[in-house]
Amino acid sequence: KVSEASAVTTKADIKPKSMHRAKIWSDDVENLYRFQQAGYRDEVEYKQVKQVDEVEFWPETGFVKKLQRRDNTFYYYNRQRECEDKDVRKVKVYVY
């Protein structure tokens, strides 16, 4: 499964055109929640900052499996949903 962020090429300094808050939970919102918990805007910024080509995803669910924070510690995520309904509106969705 390819997320929308993967479709955007990771050239230097790609900036989003706009941002809105998520209203309902989805697979994409779940992954954005995980990136933002680790201190990144989204997959595009993570790849730019960490200089990686691929992010590890759970094959069963397509959710992010592991992320490296800016201080080089790792976040490990479960296969199941972690973004609770009360947190959905905190997730920022960026438009490129």
Side-chain angles (χ1 to χ4, degrees):
K1 180 185 174 199
V2 176
S3 68
E4 287 182 29
S6 296
V8 177
T9 56
T10 53
K11 287 184 236 136
D13 277 353
I14 295 174
K15 299 279 191 246
K17 292 185 181 81
S18 63
M19 182 276 291
H20 64 273
R21 300 277 179 174
K23 290 179 178 53
I24 56 167
W25 184 90
S26 69
D27 289 358
D28 287 336
V29 169
E30 177 67 35
N31 281 331
L32 284 169
Y33 173 78
R34 294 173 186 217
F35 281 109
Q36 289 168 20
Q37 208 178 27
Y40 302 94
R41 197 173 51 224
D42 52 23
E43 186 176 347
V44 173
E45 184 182 46
Y46 181 77
K47 287 179 174 180
Q48 284 175 199
V49 172
K50 287 297 170 188
Q51 298 292 301
V52 295
D53 294 327
E54 294 299 318
V55 176
E56 281 190 60
F57 292 95
W58 288 105
E60 306 89 345
T61 59
F63 297 150
V64 173
K65 184 175 185 178
K66 174 178 88 175
L67 292 174
Q68 189 174 10
R69 294 184 351 182
R70 292 173 192 262
D71 64 3
N72 292 327
T73 58
F74 283 90
Y75 273 163
Y76 295 90
Y77 298 99
N78 295 322
R79 287 178 179 84
Q80 299 87 6
R81 172 181 175 175
E82 290 192 11
C83 179
E84 297 178 28
D85 286 335
K86 67 181 176 67
D87 295 326
V88 168
R89 290 193 171 272
K90 295 177 187 172
V91 176
K92 297 175 182 175
V93 181
Y94 293 91
V95 180
Y96 290 89

